[in-house]
Amino acid sequence: MEFVILGIVLAGVLLLAGLGLLVPRIRRRAVPPAPPQAADQPEEGGGVGILAPERPTEAPEAPAPTIETPAPTAGRLVRLRGRLSRSQSVFGKSLLAVLARDRLDEDAWEEIEDSLIAADVGVEATHEIVGRLRERTKVLGTRNPTELRALLAAELVEALDPTLDRSLNVAGKPSVLLVVGVNGSGKTTTCGKIARVLIADGHTVLLGAADTFRAAASEQLATWAGRVGAEVVRGPEGADPASVAFDAVKKGVDTGVDTVLVDTAGRLQNKVGLMDELGKVKRVVEKQGPVDETLLVLDATTGQNGLEQARVFTEVVDVTGVVLTKLDGTAKGGIVIAVQRKLGIPVKLVGLGEGPDDLAPFEPAAFVDALVGTDA
Ligand code: GDP
């Protein structure tokens, strides 16, 4: 009997122990799925959190390709100085090597002259620069190549007349800028780049596609305009350039933009035709107000020939500033000096590449420093 009672108690204890073991097991089974769920929640939430920023970044990405924010213009020439590498090598390798010689004899001075002429500085300007350099070297007794280089740099800066006002005249409302030059010199590209520069500086811009001679020009200009949010006025292909220019300026006046930039065609095969066309564009535009700036776009790689062509434009319209393009593609950076000297018009901007922000305000000291750099 005692054994029977003992057996029953034992069985009871075992049963309870078994239940005790089972309950946590069931709980463990039941509970574990719950905590992972609970734990997953924040993670999921965290997942959403990770995804969420992606959605907003995806959203603003959509308009970004249409409206760009152009790079600031200040200090562009310094940033783009590497683009002048071909000119640098002419100045750097030959000229500076001569200046580094122990003795500057007659042959050495002749070599210096040859280098400047090879860099397209022009014969007259070269004689003047070298004459003054010789004089100063003698007076100062300069022998040290670093000092000689500094003297040469000072003469080149002087030849570029650092006192000239090179800012764009965009004070009018709207200010009207005509862009002229031979076809292929980079007019349309320059219009687009200038629009970017002005927009970067807070202006509103309207582009007039008055180069109706080249079918692609108006399309090209519209693409530039679209990228920075400038308005564009185009005419049908072959339309009268003067009428497109008129419409552009009229729309600029009506809509109250800050600046109207008019791209023109430059057919040079017939000087009379060019005079007629450009003269008419200018006259028609002036019916609505003065032209504030007429920029002549010149391809630096065309050298002294380009200068002759440029002179024709200065006879036709009153050019107020020169934009020298493609300085990145020539070893003849000295052309800047020749252009200013021959035309008597300040170089205001320089093109240093095909990229949208490869247009820099021209600064004589920074330019010369890039050519005969103090660390060259
Ligand atoms: P347009 O006929 O005078 O309007 O000339 P475009 O604007 O169509 O330019 C003619 C070519 O010159 C194009 O291929 C431009 O990309 C190129 N170009 C314009 N400016 C520069 C520059 O500063 N450097 C270089 N390397 N190419 C340029």
Side-chain angles (χ1 to χ4, degrees):
M1 189 62 189
E2 283 167 0
F3 285 115
V4 172
I5 292 166
L6 200 68
I8 290 168
V9 169
L10 207 66
V13 167
L14 280 173
L15 189 70
L16 281 173
L19 275 175
L21 282 173
L22 272 178
V23 170
R25 221 175 276 156
I26 292 164
R27 275 210 195 115
R28 257 181 244 130
R29 260 191 217 134
V31 172
Q37 268 176 9
D40 281 351
Q41 287 295 333
E43 266 181 40
E44 245 177 57
V48 169
I50 291 163
L51 286 175
E54 280 176 13
R55 278 180 207 136
T57 46
E58 268 166 24
E61 259 169 28
T66 40
I67 305 292
E68 297 172 11
T69 307
T73 54
R76 273 196 193 176
L77 194 54
V78 174
R79 281 202 300 280
L80 296 170
R81 61 181 280 158
R83 303 282 173 87
L84 293 163
S85 57
R86 290 193 201 188
S87 295
Q88 268 161 358
S89 68
V90 169
F91 278 87
K93 292 206 178 79
S94 44
L95 203 59
L96 301 179
V98 181
L99 289 178
R101 283 187 199 156
D102 288 342
R103 256 187 82 233
L104 286 178
D105 55 16
E106 213 46 49
D107 284 350
W109 286 115
E110 244 173 61
E111 278 180 58
I112 292 171
E113 281 199 352
D114 291 347
S115 299
L116 290 175
I117 290 168
D120 246 349
V121 169
V123 178
E124 258 177 55
T126 296
H127 286 325
E128 265 184 30
I129 291 167
V130 172
R132 283 161 60 144
L133 190 60
R134 283 185 82 156
E135 191 59 35
R136 291 190 73 187
T137 326
K138 209 158 81 185
V139 172
L140 299 170
T142 318
R143 311 282 313 209
N144 170 325
T146 312
E147 283 169 17
L148 278 170
R149 188 168 53 187
L151 281 182
L152 169 69
E155 288 304 333
L156 292 172
V157 170
E158 199 52 39
L160 284 164
D161 193 353
T163 63
L164 289 176
D165 179 10
R166 294 166 201 276
S167 59
L168 290 183
N169 179 7
V170 288
K173 182 77 182 181
S175 50
V176 177
L177 275 66
L178 281 189
V179 179
V180 305
V182 182
N183 285 338
S185 60
K187 269 187 306 341
T188 307
T189 310
T190 299
C191 279
K193 289 176 178 174
I194 294 176
R196 291 176 69 90
V197 166
L198 293 172
I199 285 173
D201 290 346
H203 284 244
T204 49
V205 176
L206 185 144
L207 290 164
D211 180 359
T212 54
F213 169 71
R214 193 163 60 88
S218 140
E219 195 59 48
Q220 208 178 315
L221 204 63
T223 306
W224 279 99
R227 286 173 70 176
V228 281
E231 273 192 87
V232 64
V233 168
R234 307 162 66 172
E237 201 184 318
D240 177 12
S243 90
V244 178
F246 181 87
D247 290 348
V249 178
K250 184 168 187 324
K251 184 158 185 200
V253 172
D254 292 348
T255 57
V257 296
D258 297 320
T259 306
V260 180
L261 258 171
V262 182
D263 185 21
T264 63
R267 285 167 282 175
L268 249 193
Q269 57 272 54
N270 177 352
K271 188 176 157 185
V272 177
L274 175 79
M275 278 215 203
D276 286 351
E277 190 175 284
L278 265 188
K280 189 173 164 198
V281 166
K282 191 153 185 262
R283 273 196 312 280
V284 158
V285 165
E286 278 172 343
K287 281 186 185 163
Q288 297 174 83
V291 170
D292 298 275
E293 188 92 64
T294 302
L295 294 172
L296 173 64
V297 178
L298 256 183
D299 177 343
T301 65
T302 58
Q304 304 290 322
N305 284 345
L307 261 178
E308 285 313 309
Q309 294 176 337
R311 211 194 293 275
V312 176
F313 282 88
T314 60
E315 286 166 16
V316 179
V317 279
D318 186 14
V319 177
T320 53
V322 173
V323 182
L324 205 56
T325 60
K326 310 188 195 181
L327 267 175
D328 54 308
T330 178
K332 296 167 178 290
I335 189 77
V336 183
I337 295 173
V339 163
Q340 260 199 200
R341 195 187 163 88
K342 286 239 170 97
L343 303 179
I345 299 162
V347 171
K348 294 196 167 180
L349 297 159
V350 286
L352 291 158
E354 294 187 83
D357 293 327
D358 294 343
L359 182 78
F362 183 67
E363 302 161 54
F367 181 75
V368 168
D369 188 54
L371 294 187
V372 299
T374 40
D375 50 357

